[in-house]
Structures are given as structure tokens and as C-alpha cells.
Amino acid sequence: MTDRRSERWWARVPWTPLLTVTVVAAVIALLPPPPPAPLPVADVQPPHQWQPGVLRVGLDASYPPFATRDGGILTGHDVELSRRLAAHLGWRLELVDIPFDGLYDALRVSRIDVIVSALPRQEEMIGAVIYSRPYFEAGEVLVVRHIDGYGGLHALQGRRIGAEMGSLGDQAARRQVREHRFTLDSSFTSLDAALMALRDGRVDAVAVDRVTALIRRAADPALDILDPPLDPAPYAIAMPFDAPDFAESVDRWLDDLDRTGQLTQLRRAHVG
Amino acid sequence: MIVLATGHLARELAFPRAEPVETPRVVQTLNPKVGIHTRLTDEGSTERITRTYRMVRQMGAAWVVEYLPWPYVQGGTPDDADWRHADRLVDRAVMEGLRVVLRIDSVPAWARPPGTTFKHLDPDQYEAFAGFAAAVATRYRGRVSHLVVWNEPNLAYEWGQRPVDPVAYTRLLATTYAAVKRVNPDMRVVAAGLAPTTEPAGSPWGLDDLEYLRAMYRAGAAAHFDALAIHAYGLTLPPDAPADATKITFSRALLTRQVMEQFGDGAKPALITEGGWNDSPRWTYGVAPAARIAYTLRAYQLATEWPWLDAMCLWTFRTPRPNRTYHDNYAFVAPDFTPTPLYLEVQRAARGFVPPEGEP
């Protein structure tokens, strides 16, 4: 006998697909609108005190490989980064060589527009300047032999760490001795002596600043750099506090460089 | 029990115990000219301030230079003054037996136009600055021996990002000297240490320190200071590298001394209030750590051979936090108080031995 309810109209409605569509439509309607496509940096209005069409970058040219004078010409990682930023903006680049001590003041009185100068973030300056996202990780690291296959700091527990006497690597390693149960030997009077001890197996790792580590690794593929750093020190671009839109667009530009591998290429070309 | 407690109370009332009095310590050193510039401006902890000055004394240093920014005392209004931090610094340094040299500069916001840097001091505020200097001289009478007026005014960024002006600086110096001497004739007023530089006249960044000093003398500065501060950085050259007016060397201090003598001021002493070497592997002007140790020891020895020099205070003892720039490589002691090998070698040379850990 036929069930007469099955002939009622609601029995003929395809509820499952209808409900599915309804729920999906409701979810889509409730979702926040997609963010607008990021503006290219060039479309962002710079602060009024800046010279139109010119990007004045302050840097201390006594700090290779980030900035140095080679035959009178400014060159280095941060010099190239500045060039690319200016090119992206479509502005002329003006590099202003200032001793490190004077960089923040020069930014404050608008003698320069931004600082790109191996500049670590300083917590006490936040509020006086805006820092970009990091574009380079400096700090102190451990260098090891590639063949030893250490996967990270944890693998060096109880091992012997070498360092050049009195160096910042020495200081960073001392701070970590208790936590990682290293044995520290900082009797080496030069980094070369410490690295020789690493090659000979007299130490299992050498504490050194990351820039030096990258340079040495580029020259000797038998070396590896362990992550995370013993003592991180990310470099950032400093911008005036009243330029939040510009700062945001610089962050997006740096994100783009990072995503497309250009930051890594820049590092390899100038550091290692 | 009640009888015992009552008896105890009666005895305490009859024979009150004196609070223990802290006795100033004495610096033990073979070289009484060894000094160091501390940087405790932003160190808030009394324990760390005390520990810093104790380590300075234990290193065998008898002199200490410290920076006292005017805004840190009178930052709010001209009528307010908060001396607490400055008092702590002076008290603890004196208790460790140190001779204290205070450098005063910087400008509170109320004393300069909006949008200027904290090194911007206009002539209409020279009297206010001098008033602060006089207040320092009064407050620390008998405990601070020297007051350095400003810092490196021959650099544009130390002069408020303006063209440098030795005549204006001389006016500031004269105004301050007069105000200090009115309240404390025994306070030694020290003309600012100039940044060693070869910047030519007309440079927007500064002026050659030797030229600047000559200009000060021509403006009549000699009558308005008791001693000259000198900044003596060696960069990549050893302390005995010959002096050369076209180069920055440690021995540029001798050329500074020559300028003093040329202007008839040879009887006046000088103090090196900043200087030394840097062992950053990244900085163009850094040297290897072992070289830095050798150069520093030789520099302190040279101080004993220069009779016109009262003290050699190198830069810098310790910073409260790492800067994570090459500036960290000037320090003698890490932010966590770990002494560097440089500190230990200076201690060995200044005291003739390395004291045991835990020395009071």
C-alpha cells in the first residue's frame, strides 16, 4: 500500500541539497569581506615632511657586509635593500652616511626618512619609531660540522662548545651553559683557532655571531649553523612614528620579498 | 617569658643599639689614574647600581664618569626635581670609594622648541641649564669632584642637529661656570670632551675637534673651565701610534694637549672621560679581542706617563641591556655582570693580582 505522506509536497523537496546550499550561503554571507588587495607601496602617501620623490635612507657605512665604502662607493646588503625599496616606490634614492649614534636623532628631525642600517629592534625606541618586520636575523649562533648531523641545540647537551675569548659568542654561550649543560672552552684567542678545534673534533660547536657564521659557511660547506640562535637579534627598518601607513606597506613589501626568496638571495649575495 | 621579654625591652630602651653605619670602602690600586665611564642612567635597580660600582672598585679603578641627563631630574617642569636616581648613583659610588665625575647635558622638553631633539639648547635656556648645574654642585658638595659641561658639542647631533658653534658653546660654558662657582667654588668645572673627528669647517655633521678647541679658546673659554675632558678612541691603531692631525688615534690626546699649551693653558689638567677600543668582528674600526686587551692595558700605563692627565676613564663599563650593535663590544662587563677577559686583565694589572671570587 502506498504511503500517502510521501505524496505530500514537502516529501518531494530535496531537503538535503537544499539545506546544504542554504547553510553554505549563510556561512558565506556571514564571512568578513576579503581584505582589499594590498596597495603597492608607491600608492601610499608618505609623511608630509618628506621630499617628494626621494627616499633618504640613513645608514652607518662602517659595518660590512651591511654597509661599507668600497672605493668611495657605498655598497652592502642594506645598501642594496634600500635601492630595491626606492625602486619599488619609484623614487630616487639618497643614502645618508651617519655614525650609528646619530641615526635615530636624524630620523626624528627628518634629516632622513628611514633607517636601514643593521638595526636591531630596541624596545625602548618603540613609540618613538615604527620598526618593520625583520628582514635579517643576526645574533649569536652555534656552528657545527655538517657530518655530525646535530638537529638543534638540544642535541648538544653535555657537549663541548668553543668560543673566541671575550667575544659576544663567548658571552652568549656562557649564559646558556647551565640550561643546555654545555662545557665551554673560551681559551681560543681567535675565531680561526676555535674553528680549527671544531674541525679537529676537540670541540663539538663554536659560538659566534650569525653574520660571521654565514660568511664562514659560504666558504666551507662542511659547516652548518644550528637553529634557533643562542641569542637572537633581528634587524629591521626604522620609520617615523607618524608614518604608520608607509610602515605597513613596507612590511607588505618585505613579506613579498621573503615569500619570493629575494631576501634569501640578497643575504647570499652579500653575506653568505 | 613575660619577665624575659620585659627585661629585653628595658635593656633595648636603656642601651639602644646604633644602626650599623656603612663605611666607605677604599679602592686598592697600583694605578690611581685608572677610571671607567659607567652608564647607569637607565639602570633602575639599586642592587645592580651597587654591584656595578663594587666591580669598578674591584677592578682597581679609582675614578668613575657617569652621565646625569638634565631631563631625568627636571623632566616635568622647571619647578619640579626628582633627585632619587641621581642620589642613588652618587651615594653608591661614594660608598665604594670612587671619585665621581658627573657629565651633565640633554634638555627637558619644556626647555626646547617642539620637534627638536633632546640635545637642542637655545641661548635663552643657558641660564636654566646653569641653574641645574648649580643645583648639582650644591647637592653633591664634597661627594662629586668634577662636573663636565655637555658632551661632544663639535658634532651636529650632539648640538641638537644644528651647525656646531664653538662660540655658543663657550657662552654656555661660561654661564655654567659662573653659576657653579657661586655655590661651590671647589667643584671642578670641566669643558666638554670633543668627539675626535676630522670634519672640515662647513660640514653639516661637525667640526674637527682640534679646530673646535682653538675656536673655543679664541672665544675666551680659558677663563671658564678648570680642566678639559678629552675623548681618546684608538679605532684600529695601538695607543702608541704617532699622533697625526689628519687621523683619529689614541695619541690625538697629545695634540689636544698641545692646543691647550699653545693658548697658554698648560697649567690646567685634563681627564680622559671616554675612549678605548672596540672588538666587534663586524665593525670597520674594530680590533681583535686580544689586541683590545693589549691596547687598553698600555693606555692605562700611558696615563701614568702623562703628568697633565688626572684620570683615564675609558668607555664603557657595562650597559643595562645588550644593544645588539657593535656598541656592545666597548663594554668591560656584560649586561649580566659576567666580566670579560678585558676586565680581568685590567684588574690583574691595576691590582697586581686577581682577587678571589666573592671578594667584598
Side-chain angles (χ1 to χ4, degrees):
Chain A
M1 184 173 171
T2 305
D3 184 351
R4 295 196 64 80
R5 284 181 297 174
S6 67
E7 295 174 352
R8 289 179 187 158
W9 68 269
W10 59 80
R12 292 192 292 275
V13 174
W15 288 112
T16 300
L18 185 62
L19 279 173
T20 304
V21 167
T22 305
V23 166
V24 169
V27 167
I28 290 171
L30 290 170
L31 278 174
L39 286 174
V41 176
D43 287 347
V44 175
Q45 289 303 312
H48 65 89
Q49 64 270 31
W50 291 15
Q51 274 178 260
V54 179
L55 180 71
R56 297 170 303 168
V57 174
L59 48 72
D60 179 341
S62 67
Y63 210 61
F66 293 93
T68 187
R69 286 189 180 275
D70 187 359
I73 311 270
L74 286 171
T75 180
H77 178 284
D78 287 355
V79 172
E80 181 56 29
L81 187 69
S82 302
R83 280 203 183 104
R84 293 189 191 193
L85 177 57
H88 183 76
L89 286 168
W91 297 355
R92 182 172 60 81
L93 175 65
E94 190 179 308
L95 293 168
V96 186
D97 184 4
I98 302 174
F100 192 86
D101 281 349
L103 284 169
Y104 280 114
D105 267 4
L107 186 69
R108 183 185 166 81
V109 298
S110 299
R111 286 183 95 164
I112 55 177
D113 303 321
V114 299
I115 302 172
V116 186
S117 191
L119 192 73
R121 284 171 66 96
Q122 287 183 256
E123 295 307 314
E124 59 270 26
M125 292 304 295
I126 293 172
V129 301
I130 302 177
Y131 289 111
S132 72
R133 55 146 280 175
Y135 66 82
F136 189 97
E137 174 55 60
E140 309 298 319
V141 295
L142 288 177
V143 170
V144 295
R145 295 186 309 183
H146 182 68
I147 55 167
D148 290 332
Y150 295 120
L153 284 184
H154 62 279
L156 284 167
Q157 293 230 358
R159 299 283 183 173
R160 296 154 301 166
I161 309 299
E164 180 182 6
M165 185 196 319
S167 64
L168 293 180
D170 177 4
Q171 293 178 33
R174 283 171 201 257
R175 287 194 289 272
Q176 304 278 354
V177 160
R178 191 176 297 172
E179 181 182 342
H180 295 290
R181 290 187 275 128
F182 299 146
T183 302
L184 178 63
D185 178 358
S186 53
S187 64
F188 302 101
T189 54
S190 71
L191 176 61
D192 283 335
L195 288 175
M196 181 67 69
L198 175 66
R199 289 189 194 95
D200 295 344
R202 284 176 283 137
V203 296
D204 301 297
V206 170
V208 67
D209 70 280
R210 189 164 181 271
V211 176
T212 302
L214 287 165
I215 293 171
R216 294 303 184 114
R217 185 182 68 176
D220 182 357
L223 298 176
D224 254 350
I225 298 171
L226 280 193
D227 273 318
L230 282 178
D231 191 15
Y235 291 162
I237 296 172
M239 293 160 281
F241 192 66
D242 63 354
D245 290 344
F246 182 83
E248 199 181 310
S249 54
V250 167
D251 272 354
R252 286 198 296 269
W253 173 73
L254 286 171
D255 282 342
D256 190 56
L257 289 191
D258 198 2
R259 195 174 48 249
T260 56
Q262 292 180 68
L263 279 185
T264 302
Q265 282 171 9
L266 189 60
R267 190 206 78 213
R268 285 192 183 136
H270 290 275
V271 184
Chain B
M1 282 294 291
I2 295 174
V3 170
L4 282 172
T6 307
H8 177 77
L9 179 60
R11 191 176 65 236
E12 289 297 311
L13 288 172
F15 305 104
R17 273 176 299 178
E19 288 300 324
V21 172
E22 201 177 352
T23 311
R25 302 204 183 257
V26 175
V27 177
Q28 296 171 351
T29 185
L30 300 174
N31 183 345
K33 295 192 182 182
V34 171
I36 191 83
H37 198 310
T38 51
R39 196 59 167 87
L40 293 166
T41 321
D42 299 303
E43 181 59 87
S45 155
T46 303
E47 186 271 327
R48 285 196 289 272
I49 291 170
T50 303
R51 192 170 176 188
T52 296
Y53 286 136
R54 184 184 318 132
M55 287 185 74
V56 169
R57 173 179 57 79
Q58 290 169 340
M59 189 176 78
W63 293 80
V64 70
V65 177
E66 184 51 72
Y67 171 38
L68 179 57
W70 182 17
Y72 278 41
V73 178
Q74 286 189 295
T77 72
D79 302 314
D80 290 331
D82 183 351
W83 293 98
R84 286 174 295 174
H85 184 68
D87 284 350
R88 255 187 302 175
L89 295 181
V90 173
D91 286 347
R92 298 323 311 167
V94 167
M95 290 313 295
E96 293 297 329
L98 302 171
R99 283 196 75 168
V100 182
V101 176
L102 279 183
R103 163 166 74 89
I104 56 172
D105 68 57
S106 307
V107 187
W110 56 261
R112 53 183 165 88
T116 56
T117 73
F118 64 102
K119 295 289 185 144
H120 183 112
L121 183 67
D122 283 328
D124 64 357
Q125 295 294 342
Y126 286 0
E127 288 288 349
F129 178 84
F132 169 65
V136 173
T138 303
R139 191 173 186 88
Y140 300 124
R141 186 192 315 276
R143 292 190 293 155
V144 171
S145 59
H146 294 69
L147 212 56
V148 182
V149 179
W150 214 258
N151 181 65
E152 298 184 340
N154 64 316
L155 294 181
Y157 70 81
E158 294 279 3
W159 197 241
Q161 291 285 355
R162 298 170 296 175
V164 300
D165 188 342
V167 174
Y169 173 70
T170 301
R171 244 184 279 128
L172 171 65
L173 183 63
T175 307
T176 307
Y177 182 87
V180 168
K181 291 301 187 184
R182 271 197 293 273
V183 299
N184 183 354
D186 295 327
M187 179 67 81
R188 303 289 187 92
V189 176
V190 183
L194 302 176
T197 177
T198 54
E199 287 292 323
S203 163
W205 304 108
L207 177 62
D208 181 298
D209 50 314
L210 303 175
E211 284 304 321
Y212 191 98
L213 184 59
R214 291 189 190 102
M216 281 172 58
Y217 274 117
R218 287 192 287 267
H224 306 294
F225 64 98
D226 301 310
L228 179 66
I230 297 176
H231 290 181
Y233 287 96
L235 301 186
T236 58
L237 294 174
D240 291 296
D244 181 336
T246 64
K247 294 194 170 80
I248 308 303
T249 60
F250 185 79
S251 53
R252 196 174 177 85
L254 295 172
L255 300 181
T256 304
R257 183 63 188 171
Q258 276 177 20
V259 173
M260 294 179 76
E261 289 166 355
Q262 279 160 11
F263 283 89
D265 223 9
K268 204 171 276 181
L271 300 88
I272 288 176
T273 52
E274 273 191 40
W277 288 264
N278 184 295
D279 56 22
S280 166
R282 296 267 60 75
W283 194 38
T284 296
Y285 302 114
V287 297
R292 183 181 171 216
I293 291 172
Y295 295 172
T296 303
L297 295 180
R298 175 60 182 148
Y300 279 132
Q301 185 190 356
L302 275 173
T304 65
E305 299 171 19
W306 294 349
W308 46 269
L309 191 71
D310 280 355
M312 181 169 303
C313 304
L314 298 184
W315 180 266
T316 179
F317 191 71
R318 167 189 170 267
T319 54
R321 287 168 296 281
N323 292 294
R324 304 191 195 291
T325 69
Y326 66 83
H327 282 243
D328 290 333
N329 294 80
Y330 277 120
F332 280 48
V333 170
D336 67 0
F337 290 98
T338 304
T340 64
L342 174 64
Y343 172 96
L344 296 172
E345 292 304 319
V346 169
Q347 184 181 52
R348 189 198 307 274
R351 296 187 59 184
F353 69 103
V354 175
E357 230 175 281
E359 177 196 39

